[in-house]
PDB file of all heavy atoms in Angstrom:
ATOM      1  N   TYR A 309     131.857 117.350 136.973  1.00 96.00           N
ATOM      2  CA  TYR A 309     131.695 115.879 137.280  1.00 96.00           C
ATOM      3  C   TYR A 309     132.896 115.437 138.092  1.00 96.00           C
ATOM      4  O   TYR A 309     132.823 114.494 139.037  1.00 96.00           O
ATOM      5  CB  TYR A 309     131.771 115.176 135.926  1.00 96.00           C
ATOM      6  CG  TYR A 309     131.600 113.785 136.083  1.00 96.00           C
ATOM      7  CD1 TYR A 309     130.430 113.142 136.498  1.00 96.00           C
ATOM      8  CD2 TYR A 309     132.602 112.831 135.584  1.00 96.00           C
ATOM      9  CE1 TYR A 309     130.315 111.745 136.592  1.00 96.00           C
ATOM     10  CE2 TYR A 309     132.483 111.401 135.626  1.00 96.00           C
ATOM     11  CZ  TYR A 309     131.313 110.854 136.144  1.00 96.00           C
ATOM     12  OH  TYR A 309     131.026 109.499 136.071  1.00 96.00           O
ATOM     13  N   LEU A 310     134.120 116.085 137.897  1.00 95.00           N
ATOM     14  CA  LEU A 310     135.293 115.614 138.701  1.00 95.00           C
ATOM     15  C   LEU A 310     135.581 116.426 139.903  1.00 95.00           C
ATOM     16  O   LEU A 310     136.572 116.159 140.649  1.00 95.00           O
ATOM     17  CB  LEU A 310     136.625 115.649 137.805  1.00 95.00           C
ATOM     18  CG  LEU A 310     136.600 114.603 136.728  1.00 95.00           C
ATOM     19  CD1 LEU A 310     137.716 114.974 135.673  1.00 95.00           C
ATOM     20  CD2 LEU A 310     136.971 113.297 137.296  1.00 95.00           C
ATOM     21  N   GLY A 311     134.668 117.409 140.193  1.00 94.00           N
ATOM     22  CA  GLY A 311     134.790 118.189 141.396  1.00 94.00           C
ATOM     23  C   GLY A 311     135.776 119.384 141.351  1.00 94.00           C
ATOM     24  O   GLY A 311     136.122 119.935 142.359  1.00 94.00           O
ATOM     25  N   PHE A 312     136.122 119.782 140.159  1.00 93.00           N
ATOM     26  CA  PHE A 312     137.092 120.890 140.066  1.00 93.00           C
ATOM     27  C   PHE A 312     136.259 122.211 140.234  1.00 93.00           C
ATOM     28  O   PHE A 312     135.081 122.247 139.749  1.00 93.00           O
ATOM     29  CB  PHE A 312     137.762 120.972 138.678  1.00 93.00           C
ATOM     30  CG  PHE A 312     138.804 119.904 138.552  1.00 93.00           C
ATOM     31  CD1 PHE A 312     138.527 118.725 137.877  1.00 93.00           C
ATOM     32  CD2 PHE A 312     140.082 120.027 139.148  1.00 93.00           C
ATOM     33  CE1 PHE A 312     139.611 117.771 137.712  1.00 93.00           C
ATOM     34  CE2 PHE A 312     141.103 119.064 139.008  1.00 93.00           C
ATOM     35  CZ  PHE A 312     140.856 117.983 138.285  1.00 93.00           C
ATOM     36  N   GLU A 313     136.806 123.237 140.814  1.00 90.00           N
ATOM     37  CA  GLU A 313     136.136 124.535 140.989  1.00 90.00           C
ATOM     38  C   GLU A 313     136.038 125.269 139.644  1.00 90.00           C
ATOM     39  O   GLU A 313     135.071 125.955 139.362  1.00 90.00           O
ATOM     40  CB  GLU A 313     136.851 125.369 141.946  1.00 90.00           C
ATOM     41  CG  GLU A 313     136.849 124.803 143.430  1.00 90.00           C
ATOM     42  CD  GLU A 313     135.490 124.852 143.970  1.00 90.00           C
ATOM     43  OE1 GLU A 313     134.659 125.750 143.641  1.00 90.00           O
ATOM     44  OE2 GLU A 313     135.152 123.814 144.737  1.00 90.00           O
ATOM     45  N   ARG A 314     137.028 125.156 138.772  1.00 93.00           N
ATOM     46  CA  ARG A 314     137.046 125.888 137.505  1.00 93.00           C
ATOM     47  C   ARG A 314     137.465 124.940 136.367  1.00 93.00           C
ATOM     48  O   ARG A 314     138.260 124.025 136.555  1.00 93.00           O
ATOM     49  CB  ARG A 314     138.066 127.030 137.677  1.00 93.00           C
ATOM     50  CG  ARG A 314     137.972 127.925 138.731  1.00 93.00           C
ATOM     51  CD  ARG A 314     139.183 128.938 138.720  1.00 93.00           C
ATOM     52  NE  ARG A 314     140.461 128.203 138.908  1.00 93.00           N
ATOM     53  CZ  ARG A 314     141.638 128.707 138.809  1.00 93.00           C
ATOM     54  NH1 ARG A 314     141.774 129.983 138.449  1.00 93.00           N
ATOM     55  NH2 ARG A 314     142.687 127.936 138.952  1.00 93.00           N
ATOM     56  N   PRO A 315     136.872 125.075 135.124  1.00 93.00           N
ATOM     57  CA  PRO A 315     137.233 124.292 133.998  1.00 93.00           C
ATOM     58  C   PRO A 315     138.719 124.402 133.761  1.00 93.00           C
ATOM     59  O   PRO A 315     139.341 123.462 133.300  1.00 93.00           O
ATOM     60  CB  PRO A 315     136.410 124.905 132.936  1.00 93.00           C
ATOM     61  CG  PRO A 315     135.254 125.512 133.471  1.00 93.00           C
ATOM     62  CD  PRO A 315     135.734 125.990 134.903  1.00 93.00           C
ATOM     63  N   PHE A 316     139.334 125.549 134.074  1.00 93.00           N
ATOM     64  CA  PHE A 316     140.780 125.818 133.824  1.00 93.00           C
ATOM     65  C   PHE A 316     141.568 124.746 134.530  1.00 93.00           C
ATOM     66  O   PHE A 316     142.645 124.266 134.091  1.00 93.00           O
ATOM     67  CB  PHE A 316     141.188 127.168 134.276  1.00 93.00           C
ATOM     68  CG  PHE A 316     142.679 127.417 134.236  1.00 93.00           C
ATOM     69  CD1 PHE A 316     143.337 127.688 133.015  1.00 93.00           C
ATOM     70  CD2 PHE A 316     143.509 127.339 135.407  1.00 93.00           C
ATOM     71  CE1 PHE A 316     144.709 127.843 132.988  1.00 93.00           C
ATOM     72  CE2 PHE A 316     144.836 127.457 135.396  1.00 93.00           C
ATOM     73  CZ  PHE A 316     145.482 127.780 134.166  1.00 93.00           C
ATOM     74  N   ASP A 317     141.157 124.338 135.749  1.00 92.00           N
ATOM     75  CA  ASP A 317     141.911 123.393 136.541  1.00 92.00           C
ATOM     76  C   ASP A 317     141.941 121.983 135.887  1.00 92.00           C
ATOM     77  O   ASP A 317     142.967 121.319 135.962  1.00 92.00           O
ATOM     78  CB  ASP A 317     141.337 123.254 137.918  1.00 92.00           C
ATOM     79  CG  ASP A 317     141.440 124.546 138.790  1.00 92.00           C
ATOM     80  OD1 ASP A 317     142.361 125.352 138.552  1.00 92.00           O
ATOM     81  OD2 ASP A 317     140.433 124.903 139.423  1.00 92.00           O
TER      82      ASP A 317
END
Side-chain angles (χ1 to χ4, degrees):
Y309 183 66
L310 287 166
F312 289 101
E313 293 296 324
R314 304 172 300 169
F316 172 78
D317 298 325

